[in-house]
Amino acid sequence: MTPFLAALNPIAMHLGPLQVHWYGVIIASGVILAVLLAVREGRRRGINPDDIYDMILWALPAALIAARLYYVIFQWPYYSQHPGEIIAIWDGGIAIYGSLIGAGLVVYFFCRSRFIPVWLMLDVAAPTVILGQAIGRWGNFMNQEAFGRITSLSFLQGLHLPHFIIEQMFINGAYRQPTFLYESTWDLLGFVVLMSLRHYPQLFKQGEVFLGYVMWYSLGRFFIEGMRTDSLMLGNVIRVSQLLSVILFVGAAVIWIYRRRQTTPPTDYLAGNPFRERTKLSN
């Protein structure tokens, strides 16, 4: 069936000879919003904004490099024959799980070096990260990637989607499942859930907002990944993201249960938080 509209232009603008891709604009917008929200919440939790900005200066490059390496490693048969394309991240091909691994390592070592509780920083970052992920998936939309199996026009219309989304899902001669939208919506719901948890600090131990993020995201990603046709594969048998989702979900759940069995009561971030009091005295 012939689409009604041409695919959206993935190029946002031209700056002389340089092409600015919507993919990069959208990803950058998600990152900026996440950083601003993290700084705001960090200040409320007693974390110096300068510490967050310093951490971001290390975390962003690490996340970008790790995201690309993750993707290239699992697509090595292709990139070994096209090495010049390894750095072409503007065309897509960065893996969220890779970025989370890279950024997570930076957060851990940075917090240890600045004597900031790692769990506290992760709790501050988790809701903002998942919001950034929700926004970032629209970069995949503009690139017509991260889509699902062939479907029908009537199915997409039955979802009551805007016309521009339906027509952008016309890829390689067929309409596709908008899995980018499914994941973006799931992430947005996760943001609402995690932000709600913050209103009950007396009920949750430090680190449980982050663990909730890991379980929420990995659960949704497992099922949505199963709908996609462009998954990174391990031995052409196992979808890498599904395998990692299971590991992360189970690991986070085990850590949550183990920590809950400890005698330490939940930490109230805003009352009696020694780190917060120490930070206030030092400012």
Side-chain angles (χ1 to χ4, degrees):
M1 182 177 295
T2 303
F4 300 108
L5 298 174
L8 298 175
N9 188 349
I11 307 300
M13 65 185 77
H14 290 81
L15 297 176
L18 300 178
Q19 294 181 334
V20 179
H21 291 241
W22 277 114
Y23 184 86
V25 171
I26 293 171
I27 295 293
S29 299
V31 169
I32 292 171
L33 179 58
V35 170
L36 292 176
L37 292 177
V39 168
R40 178 180 177 183
E41 180 64 15
R43 183 182 288 112
R44 193 172 75 92
R45 299 286 177 88
I47 300 177
N48 191 322
D50 288 340
D51 285 330
I52 295 181
Y53 288 129
D54 289 345
M55 184 183 70
I56 293 300
L57 289 177
W58 290 97
L60 283 181
L64 184 61
I65 293 171
R68 186 59 173 176
L69 284 177
Y70 184 103
Y71 185 85
V72 169
I73 287 171
F74 289 105
Q75 293 279 50
W76 185 244
Y78 174 83
Y79 285 105
S80 64
Q81 301 300 316
H82 304 84
E85 297 182 22
I86 290 178
I87 63 172
I89 61 173
W90 48 86
D91 289 330
I94 59 176
I96 289 178
Y97 272 139
S99 67
L100 294 178
I101 292 170
L105 290 173
V106 169
V107 170
Y108 176 79
F109 289 108
F110 180 88
C111 289
R112 294 295 297 271
S113 69
R114 296 289 179 96
F115 302 102
I116 300 171
V118 177
W119 286 119
L120 175 60
M121 183 67 83
L122 290 173
D123 277 351
V124 167
T128 66
V129 168
I130 201 169
L131 178 61
Q133 290 174 256
I135 295 171
R137 277 303 177 194
W138 288 85
N140 298 131
F141 167 74
M142 292 302 301
N143 275 0
Q144 290 188 307
E145 60 189 8
F147 52 81
R149 297 185 179 90
I150 293 176
T151 187
S152 64
L153 174 61
S154 60
F155 173 83
L156 296 178
Q157 291 174 334
L159 297 178
H160 305 289
L161 299 177
H163 188 66
F164 77 95
I165 292 180
I166 292 177
E167 293 311 314
Q168 188 72 352
M169 287 297 96
F170 191 84
I171 303 169
N172 298 330
Y175 286 99
R176 303 283 181 160
Q177 288 277 359
T179 47
F180 88 92
L181 181 61
Y182 301 157
E183 185 168 332
S184 179
T185 303
W186 179 257
D187 290 346
L188 187 60
L189 289 174
F191 171 73
V192 174
V193 170
L194 295 177
M195 290 297 289
S196 299
L197 296 183
R198 286 180 171 175
H199 292 291
Y200 303 96
Q202 70 278 10
L203 299 179
F204 298 98
K205 298 182 70 171
Q206 199 173 90
E208 289 184 346
V209 170
F210 170 73
L211 292 173
Y213 156 74
V214 174
M215 288 188 285
W216 180 277
Y217 178 71
S218 58
L219 177 65
R221 182 62 185 270
F222 176 85
F223 290 103
I224 295 170
E225 189 70 23
M227 304 179 190
R228 289 175 55 171
T229 59
D230 60 345
S231 298
L232 299 175
M233 303 296 292
L234 187 62
N236 295 322
V237 176
I238 301 174
R239 296 174 189 260
V240 176
S241 291
Q242 283 190 314
L243 176 62
L244 191 53
S245 292
V246 171
I247 294 172
L248 289 175
F249 183 89
V250 173
V254 169
I255 293 172
W256 183 307
I257 294 171
Y258 172 78
R259 296 177 80 238
R260 275 284 168 169
R261 289 182 175 179
Q262 305 304 300
T263 56
T264 306
T267 299
D268 185 339
Y269 299 126
L270 303 182
N273 184 336
F275 171 74
R276 185 170 187 268
E277 296 302 320
R278 185 172 67 253
T279 305
K280 287 170 63 179
L281 291 174
S282 64
N283 286 340

